[in-house]
């Protein structure tokens, strides 16, 4: 069910939610958190769909704050808020409140959502597109326990990733890190098998638009205490991470993803294996991040210490991509 509330305010939205619960039996009981999605008009639906799918694992209230994209020749717009409430089959296991803010009404998003937050429930803020320079200091970021950005959605993903290094606060995370979960698990499993030899060299390759490639290199350098050589490759290969090569005394271990979703593992003295290694969807990444509301300390260490160390080594050897 979808209820439209044109030219409304927070008080009217709250009353409409109460009325919907009384008339239709929709309840807020069992909601474990409030998810705030900061988006721009015309780009909300993909994020809402991901949130609806994730709500089946994490029942929640979803508040979408949608504003107009900034343009140089923008004509003045009257301040108003159009709202849309979605429950039932249109909202998964959540209830979605879509706020379209125009003009000066968009200048204070914190006041738009404060009265709609679930009482005594943690708040997570997600920017599926453009994110503030310092997420923790932004109006919607100040409300949240966790703050989720996506550097791969920025015009320059690598530059956006490096900005996160200086703006990091405990509770921040980025989907470029979340997309590494399967790669990290597979690489750790490989090194957890005999022979238990030290890794003497590491090579990582990926697409230029893949900040996950850079974060993977930073994580490996931090964990293995060995300089990592990483490069961005073009051509017909898929986006994302392309491959990782470990050099040990017994030979080279290679995990390469030449085709989308399929990776090939090559190890000395063992048969070649094909593994399922898909790029994680928005739904998978969001569900993963909502499983924990405490700061991701490992991500914090990689983004604040591992990434600068990776850059320092690249500058020293002249190997920066």
């Amino acid at each position: 069910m979808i209820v439209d509330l044109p030219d409304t305010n927070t008080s009217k939205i709250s009353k409409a939610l109460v009325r919907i619960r009384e008339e239709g039996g929709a309840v807020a009981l069992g909601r474990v958190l409030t998810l705030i999605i900061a988006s721009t008009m015309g780009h909300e639906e993909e994020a809402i769909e991901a949130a609806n799918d994730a709500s089946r694992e994490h029942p929640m209230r979803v508040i979408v704050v949608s504003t107009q994209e900034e343009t140089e020749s923008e004509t003045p717009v009257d301040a108003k808020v159009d709202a849309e409430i979605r429950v039932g089959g249109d909202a998964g296991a959540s209830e979605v409140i879509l706020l379209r803010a125009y003009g000066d009404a968009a200048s204070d998003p914190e006041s738009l959502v404060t009265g709609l937050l679930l009482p005594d429930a943690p708040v997570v803020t997600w920017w599926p597109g453009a994110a503030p320079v310092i997420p923790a200091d932004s109006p919607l970021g100040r409300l949240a326990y966790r703050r989720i950005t996506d550097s791969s959605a920025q015009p320059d993903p690598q530059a956006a990733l490096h900005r996160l290094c200086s703006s990091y606060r405990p509770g921040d995370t980025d989907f470029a890190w979340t997309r590494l979960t399967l790669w990290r698990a597979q690489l750790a499993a490989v090194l957890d098998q005999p022979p238990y030899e030290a890794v003497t060299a590491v090579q990582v390759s990926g697409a230029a638009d893949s900040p996950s490639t850079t974060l993977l290199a930073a994580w490996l350098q931090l964990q293995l205490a060995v300089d990592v050589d990483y490069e961005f490759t073009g051509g017909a290969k898929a986006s994302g991470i392309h491959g990782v090569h470990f050099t040990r005394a017994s030979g080279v271990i290679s995990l390469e993803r030449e085709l989308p979703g399929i990776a090939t593992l090559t190890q000395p003295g063992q048969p070649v294996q094909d593994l399922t290694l898909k790029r994680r969807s928005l739904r998978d990444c969001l569900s993963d991040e909502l499983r924990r509301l405490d700061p991701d300390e490992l991500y914090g260490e990689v983004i604040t210490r591992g990434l600068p160390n990776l850059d320092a080594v690249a500058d020293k050897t002249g190997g920066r991509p």
Side-chain angles (χ1 to χ4, degrees), residues 75 81 104 157 281 289:
T75 57
V81 176
D104 290 341
S281 66
E289 289 300 336

Side-chain angles (χ1 to χ4, degrees), residues 245-286:
H245 305 275
F246 292 142
T247 301
R248 300 196 295 188
S250 59
V252 176
I253 298 173
S254 297
L255 182 64
E256 295 183 295
R257 185 169 60 184
E258 298 287 344
L259 299 173
I262 303 295
T264 301
L265 176 62
T266 305
Q267 302 180 81
Q270 296 190 32
V272 175
Q273 301 178 55
D274 287 333
L275 309 172
T276 300
L277 200 59
K278 295 182 179 179
R279 180 179 173 85
R280 307 189 77 192
S281 66
L282 277 182
R283 186 267 183 209
D284 293 335
C285 291
L286 184 59

